[in-house]
Amino acid sequence: MAIEHDFFGLIDETASGGLAWDDTVELGDQSIDVELLADDEGRVPEFALDSAAALIQALEGFDARARDALVAELSSRQSATVGYIDEHVEMLGDSLVDLLVHNSGDIAIDVLRSLQLLTVVIQADHSDEDEVFATFDYSIAPDESDALLTVSFDVRGDVVAVETSGD
């Protein structure tokens, strides 16, 4: 059975008894793919759908918080953010400059400012405070690399993890 919500409208049920909804949201000059998923419809409380709707409506603010978390990671050489930047500086070489939106001379900050937010995935059935509720996937060069820098939020909107994935 599908669920109806004021913001999402009718949220489709998957064949396995979960939920799936997706849309494209504009953020500045970017189109962001947003997905709402749940493996188990029965574990999706109304407040989780309301939290998901609030997150989507405040996407710009959450993007800023995610980027702040990435900047905070620059102080640790072992962080996922520093590893991602180092990998792309090496892989892209001089062509990295062509991808930068800002060129202040601080390559790490310039890369973080130039990251593209590609997708936001909200796990509506992960509404406990110790679970990942939403992930924001970023890339500096989505056409050249599958590597992503992912910032995860809990249902309260706090950043809980920064990780890399892909090649």
Side-chain angles (χ1 to χ4, degrees), residues 46-56 133 155:
E46 184 72 23
F47 83 87
L49 294 176
D50 293 342
S51 295
L55 184 147
I56 294 168
F133 182 69
V155 73

Side-chain angles (χ1 to χ4, degrees), residues 111-132:
V111 167
L112 294 181
R113 285 182 176 168
S114 302
L115 288 173
Q116 296 176 47
L117 176 57
L118 303 177
T119 59
V120 173
V121 177
I122 302 167
Q123 293 286 338
D125 55 347
H126 292 189
S127 58
D128 290 336
E129 291 180 5
D130 61 342
E131 295 179 299
V132 172

Side-chain angles (χ1 to χ4, degrees), residues 42-155:
R43 288 195 55 223
V44 180
E46 184 72 23
F47 83 87
L49 294 176
D50 293 342
S51 295
L55 184 147
I56 294 168
Q57 291 171 325
L59 196 58
E60 187 173 340
F62 278 91
D63 177 51
R65 290 167 66 188
R67 290 174 191 270
D68 287 346
L70 296 173
V71 169
E73 282 216 334
L74 292 177
S75 62
S76 172
R77 287 291 310 152
Q78 288 73 36
S79 71
T81 302
V82 171
Y84 181 90
I85 292 169
D86 290 349
E87 175 186 327
H88 283 79
V89 166
E90 183 178 320
M91 179 181 75
L92 297 170
D94 292 338
S95 66
L96 177 65
V97 174
D98 297 334
L99 300 173
L100 299 179
V101 175
H102 302 282
N103 194 353
S104 70
D106 183 339
I107 194 71
I109 292 294
D110 293 341
V111 167
L112 294 181
R113 285 182 176 168
S114 302
L115 288 173
Q116 296 176 47
L117 176 57
L118 303 177
T119 59
V120 173
V121 177
I122 302 167
Q123 293 286 338
D125 55 347
H126 292 189
S127 58
D128 290 336
E129 291 180 5
D130 61 342
E131 295 179 299
V132 172
F133 182 69
T135 56
F136 285 53
D137 291 332
Y138 293 91
S139 177
I140 187 65
D143 296 334
E144 298 181 33
S145 170
D146 291 333
L148 297 174
L149 195 53
T150 301
V151 178
S152 301
F153 291 90
D154 64 15
V155 73

